[in-house]
Amino acid sequence: MNEIKIKMAKYNKIKTQRLLLRPVTLADSVDMYEYASDEETTYFVFERHASMEKTEEAIVECFLTDPFGKYGIEVKETGKLIGTIDLRVKDENHRAIMGYALNKTYHGKGYMTEAAEALLAYAFETLKLDCVAALYDERNEVSGKVMERIGMQREGVMRHMGKWKNGEYFNDVYYSILKEEYDASRKKN
């Protein structure tokens, strides 16, 4: 087993001022279904869950079968799961891809930026990665704003990556931040 996975197993909970990033369990099914069944929330990220059973299957397949780097975003004050965030580590070259989804009821409150900043700190300070990237469907500009707020730089657009739900082509916008850029921004603040 490699060093990064050992660290990920040891440090599988990350606390912020308002949030707890922690493993997702089947006990989160009701909270996850609340946003995973909403077409507006899921449209650019994944197929909408048509039933609670689909949410349970998704938790087992995505979060329990391969839990490394995958976190539920829980509001500490209420214990409610409001979304998920993940860090897919490519440890052979010390890079990772970040992805996230958030219940639309909690948009505009800074929760995703707070979670993403914490995961970025974890990636660079604990896992000792060199680069963290993220991408979003260019029609989902709000996701790009999160990337910009955490210091990522836009690298480019990958055009016509595929066809999406209604047969329309989609373009992915690619962002990233290097460890040295992260360190420089921390020194400034």
Side-chain angles (χ1 to χ4, degrees), residues 39-135:
E39 184 66 26
E40 183 181 342
T41 299
T42 64
Y43 189 82
F44 300 112
V45 188
F46 56 84
E47 289 292 333
R48 184 183 73 78
H49 295 183
S51 66
M52 181 66 78
E53 291 74 25
K54 284 289 182 196
T55 299
E56 289 172 343
E57 287 173 16
I59 289 173
V60 170
E61 289 172 17
C62 183
F63 297 97
L64 299 179
T65 302
D66 182 18
F68 288 112
K70 298 172 185 171
Y71 303 90
I73 302 171
E74 177 184 304
V75 176
K76 284 199 270 189
E77 188 176 308
T78 63
K80 183 171 183 64
L81 180 90
I82 62 169
T84 58
I85 190 165
D86 63 88
L87 193 67
R88 295 176 296 276
V89 177
K90 310 296 182 201
D91 63 327
E92 66 277 359
N93 55 11
H94 293 278
R95 294 179 62 88
I97 302 285
M98 181 186 294
Y100 42 79
L102 185 69
N103 184 324
K104 72 180 180 189
T105 303
Y106 297 89
H107 286 188
K109 296 175 177 23
Y111 287 125
M112 189 51 71
T113 299
E114 187 174 328
E117 285 174 339
L119 203 56
L120 211 54
Y122 174 72
F124 291 132
E125 296 169 17
T126 302
L127 301 180
K128 307 295 185 202
L129 299 180
D130 182 58
C131 179
V132 175
L135 53 96

Side-chain angles (χ1 to χ4, degrees), residues 153-158 172-175:
Q153 296 179 27
R154 182 180 167 137
E155 291 197 14
V157 178
M158 296 178 280
D172 279 337
V173 183
Y174 193 85
Y175 276 72

